[in-house]
Amino acid sequence: MPSKSSARLAALTVAAVCSAAATQIAVLPAHAATVRIHDIQGDTRTSPYAGQKVTDVSGIVTGIRTYGSSRGFWIQDPAPDADPATSEGVFVFTSSTPKGVAVGDAVTVSGTVSEFVPGGASSGNQALTEITRPTFTVVSSGNPVPAATVVDARSVPDAYTPAGDPAAGGSVNALPLRPATYALDFYESLEGMNVQVADARVVGATDPYTELWVTVKPQENPTRRGGTVYGSYDDQNTGRIQIQSLGASADFPEANVGDTLAGTTAGPLDYNQFGGYTLVANRLGTLDSGDLQRETTRKQKSGELAVATYNVENLDPSDGTFAAHAAAIVNNLQSPDIVSLEEIQDDNGAVNDGVVTAGRTVDTLIEAIVAAGGPRYDWRGVDPADDADGGEPGGNIRQVFLFNPERVSFTDRAGGDATTPVGVTKVRGKAALTVSPGRIAPADEAWKNSRKPLAGEFVFRGRTVLVVANHFNSKGGDQGFTAQYQPPARSSETQRHQQAGLVNAFVKDVLATQKNADVVVLGDINDFEFSGTARILEGDGELWSAIKSLPRSERYSYTYQGNSQVLDQILVSPSIRRGCDLDYDSVHINAEFHDQISDHDPQVLRFHP
């Protein structure tokens, strides 16, 4: 999965515009008399007053946001009603930094009730109820802030969300909230209110946007290293919640998975584009380190072939991470015999000038590996057509093979280029590639704006091993877990399913030519081991995802919104699996750490061909 930075910067720009003209879910022309906050919030996800002007809405200021595109303050009614479905808090959107108001002020606010959809209506996100174009009066100051509602394992239901209303396109917006039954309803019933978590374990490391994820359910699908495993479409892990801060960015903790925010973390509950419900803290707990260490796999034995996949996240010659990546390959991965690298950029990175070669990028990494005490790898790859494979514009990302010539040899067969498809033939009774290296069906629509698989033929101890390096279509465009549409649409799957079908068909051709051929299909599959994509890749037993040899609590290579999940996989043909001596390791060196050099953890498979 690619970095979200470029999409996020664009989205923040859009949000700055959309915040001033929020998406109107419903428009009522009448003018509302004085109402309470819980009247505005109502018992569904959208306000019955959306589009109406309201006057003299009273509340205590619980937090003030003075940065970003969504500036304003939260107010909460200190005299709640008896309905647990109606929130007592609301955000007052002022556009610019609010002046003349402080936490603890009792205020009356007049303005227009709006339903702002972070990311825009096309994102499928839920709407955030706001009072926009406000005028306000401070009635008194120094008042106690309403007590924070405790969010913990007892209060958050285990069920995630109701199914959406088919008559409303699968939206849950109009469904009455059931906060005692569903986690998303519970969080929605607290939208804009002062909430708190206590002694919360970190399950998503601090990212560049000064946010992290914690869980209030430490026993919910835990990893052995402190994370929370995502292992099923039906179990979204309801205890996860995002933490941001109203304080200075410099004061935000640099947390790793397995750390704890000790004590109380409290503040208003917001909803944003990048993670849904978010505790925006005006009081942060103290970071208690879990002392998480980066893993090191074992060295392969002399008769074992070690094959690895590693997404190096848009690596180009201008990056300062070559030494760190080299150290990871040499020390943490123990110098695998074959390494599939994903997201290798061309020789001038994101400069969009027609350059597609990547020799300088790869050679710089090889020299760094030698300097780190590793072998002098050789490499093979196929340059893509300019700007045809997706990724960062101008970067021309692709997969390449590194291989240790002291341990394995590469069988070169001329003719492989950006547009020539690799095929399967028979040489001396064995399956062989028509071009090596070569690309699988590069002209097929399945690979439009996406990376084409790279196939190569290797020999280890006299036995041929065919390896296919992949980087499937990303999940960009999928609706989030907290979307208003339930279940959320996973539109990106369509292309990945097509891609998986083509790779499986290629492997079928290999096995039809040589039933006992050793085939390894690996890379950033951008999908889970339980996904439809993985099932299509595996087919009718042509391949098997070897990460499933690990206990469920250890199956992850990526952490997203507090879920430790599988995106990177190594799949093997029956001849390798039948050997029963394969050894798989997801080497956790990046995904759980705030100072990561890539957002993916590399995977290593050792076996006896």
Side-chain angles (χ1 to χ4, degrees):
M1 183 175 288
S3 170
K4 65 183 179 182
S5 58
S6 59
R8 183 164 194 140
L9 289 172
L12 290 174
T13 302
V14 171
V17 176
C18 292
S19 294
T23 301
Q24 299 295 323
I25 303 301
V27 177
L28 303 177
H31 186 283
T34 300
V35 295
R36 304 277 292 278
I37 293 173
H38 51 251
D39 299 322
I40 293 172
Q41 288 283 10
D43 64 357
T44 67
R45 283 175 167 77
T46 55
S47 173
Y49 289 90
Q52 282 191 280
K53 292 182 178 180
V54 292
T55 58
D56 297 331
V57 180
S58 62
I60 305 295
V61 177
T62 60
I64 301 172
R65 183 156 53 203
T66 60
Y67 59 87
S69 60
S70 186
R71 303 185 188 197
F73 57 91
W74 289 267
I75 60 173
Q76 183 168 332
D77 194 328
D81 66 4
D83 187 351
T86 57
S87 171
E88 301 294 340
V90 70
F91 184 66
V92 180
F93 174 68
T94 58
S95 182
S96 59
T97 300
K99 298 179 180 179
V101 66
V103 172
D105 283 353
V107 298
T108 58
V109 178
S110 299
T112 300
V113 177
S114 295
E115 291 290 347
F116 171 60
V117 181
S122 63
S123 70
N125 285 329
Q126 295 186 46
L128 177 68
T129 303
E130 300 178 335
I131 299 176
T132 62
R133 294 185 281 277
T135 60
F136 59 89
T137 301
V138 176
V139 178
S140 63
S141 299
N143 300 284
V145 172
T149 299
V150 173
V151 178
D152 61 13
R154 288 170 295 184
S155 61
V156 180
D158 291 332
Y160 194 64
T161 179
D165 181 1
S171 174
V172 296
N173 274 352
L175 300 180
L177 296 177
R178 299 167 63 188
T181 304
Y182 297 111
L184 285 192
D185 288 11
F186 171 77
Y187 291 123
E188 176 64 22
S189 73
L190 300 176
E191 180 191 273
M193 289 179 61
N194 193 27
V195 301
Q196 72 174 49
V197 298
D199 298 327
R201 193 181 74 228
V202 175
V203 292
T206 303
D207 67 18
Y209 307 100
T210 57
E211 57 199 22
L212 56 81
W213 286 77
V214 299
T215 182
V216 297
K217 295 184 174 183
Q219 300 308 311
E220 185 176 54
N221 300 316
T223 74
R224 62 183 179 83
R225 291 167 59 84
T228 298
V229 167
Y230 178 57
S232 165
Y233 288 128
D234 299 321
D235 191 353
Q236 297 88 347
N237 293 316
T238 62
R240 297 172 303 110
I241 188 168
Q242 186 171 224
I243 306 293
Q244 294 179 341
S245 175
L246 292 172
S249 297
D251 297 331
F252 198 79
E254 293 182 336
N256 296 326
V257 169
D259 292 348
T260 299
L261 279 184
T264 298
T265 297
L269 187 66
D270 195 21
Y271 182 93
N272 68 38
Q273 178 182 356
F274 302 102
Y277 296 104
T278 301
L279 195 166
V280 187
N282 48 31
R283 177 183 177 188
L284 275 168
T286 302
L287 186 65
D288 185 3
S289 174
D291 197 28
L292 191 69
Q293 300 297 309
R294 287 176 163 84
E295 290 187 331
T296 297
T297 197
R298 71 168 176 84
K299 184 72 176 175
Q300 65 268 32
K301 299 173 184 176
S302 61
E304 289 180 312
L305 179 65
V307 181
T309 175
Y310 186 19
N311 184 319
V312 290
E313 196 175 2
N314 290 322
L315 189 66
D316 75 75
S318 68
D319 290 337
T321 56
F322 282 95
H325 283 306
I329 291 169
V330 174
N331 300 320
N332 301 93
L333 304 188
Q334 293 290 295
S335 302
D337 301 311
I338 302 170
V339 184
S340 166
L341 297 173
E342 296 85 51
E343 294 199 21
I344 289 289
Q345 290 201 342
D346 64 35
D347 288 332
N348 60 9
V351 178
N352 200 353
D353 61 356
V355 171
V356 295
T357 58
R360 183 179 167 208
T361 304
V362 181
D363 288 343
T364 301
L365 178 60
I366 289 173
E367 292 301 325
I369 290 171
V370 172
R376 180 169 292 280
Y377 283 101
D378 202 347
W379 72 281
R380 295 292 188 275
V382 174
D383 292 333
D386 188 36
D387 281 341
D389 283 16
E392 187 176 23
N396 291 310
I397 57 173
R398 84 290 307 273
Q399 302 87 263
V400 304
F401 293 123
L402 297 185
F403 63 95
N404 182 357
E406 297 298 317
R407 294 264 300 165
V408 297
S409 62
F410 190 88
T411 302
D412 289 294
R413 291 195 173 89
D417 58 26
T419 59
T420 300
V422 60
V424 182
T425 188
K426 184 176 287 189
V427 176
R428 293 187 291 277
K430 304 292 185 182
L433 303 182
T434 56
V435 294
S436 177
R439 307 175 97 194
I440 294 177
D444 196 283
E445 279 293 302
W447 309 113
K448 185 176 181 179
N449 295 320
S450 187
R451 283 67 55 187
K452 287 69 174 171
L454 178 70
E457 189 173 324
F458 295 86
V459 176
F460 176 72
R461 293 196 159 201
R463 186 169 178 91
T464 296
V465 180
L466 302 181
V467 183
V468 181
N470 302 271
H471 185 186
F472 282 7
N473 184 51
S474 80
K475 291 182 175 291
D478 287 359
Q479 293 172 353
F481 282 167
T482 61
Q484 65 163 296
Y485 301 103
Q486 294 293 335
R490 301 189 297 269
S491 59
S492 69
E493 281 186 344
T494 300
Q495 188 172 4
R496 280 195 303 283
H497 287 180
Q498 295 168 348
Q499 294 172 343
L502 289 173
V503 174
N504 175 267
F506 177 80
V507 175
K508 274 189 171 79
D509 287 346
V510 172
L511 298 181
T513 304
Q514 180 189 345
K515 186 176 181 180
N516 67 339
D518 289 339
V519 184
V520 178
V521 172
L522 77 174
D524 180 358
I525 304 303
N526 260 322
D527 224 335
F528 316 118
E529 81 281 17
F530 55 82
S531 66
T533 302
R535 288 196 300 271
I536 294 168
L537 259 180
E538 291 182 317
D540 296 322
E542 293 84 18
L543 293 169
W544 177 70
S545 183
I547 199 169
K548 293 191 289 189
S549 65
L550 297 178
R552 289 184 182 274
S553 63
E554 297 179 26
R555 296 181 196 172
Y556 60 96
S557 67
Y558 192 89
T559 300
Y560 182 68
Q561 296 184 353
N563 272 331
S564 295
Q565 57 196 35
V566 170
L567 291 185
D568 308 84
Q569 301 187 47
I570 302 178
L571 300 95
V572 297
S573 60
S575 63
I576 297 174
R577 185 183 181 188
R578 275 198 300 266
C580 297
D581 60 355
L582 58 81
D583 182 20
Y584 193 97
D585 196 358
S586 183
V587 188
H588 304 304
I589 62 173
N590 286 317
E592 300 166 314
F593 297 89
H594 75 271
D595 56 347
Q596 57 189 223
I597 55 173
S598 168
D599 44 0
H600 292 253
D601 286 333
Q603 314 291 293
V604 178
L605 176 70
R606 292 171 288 263
F607 65 99
H608 290 86

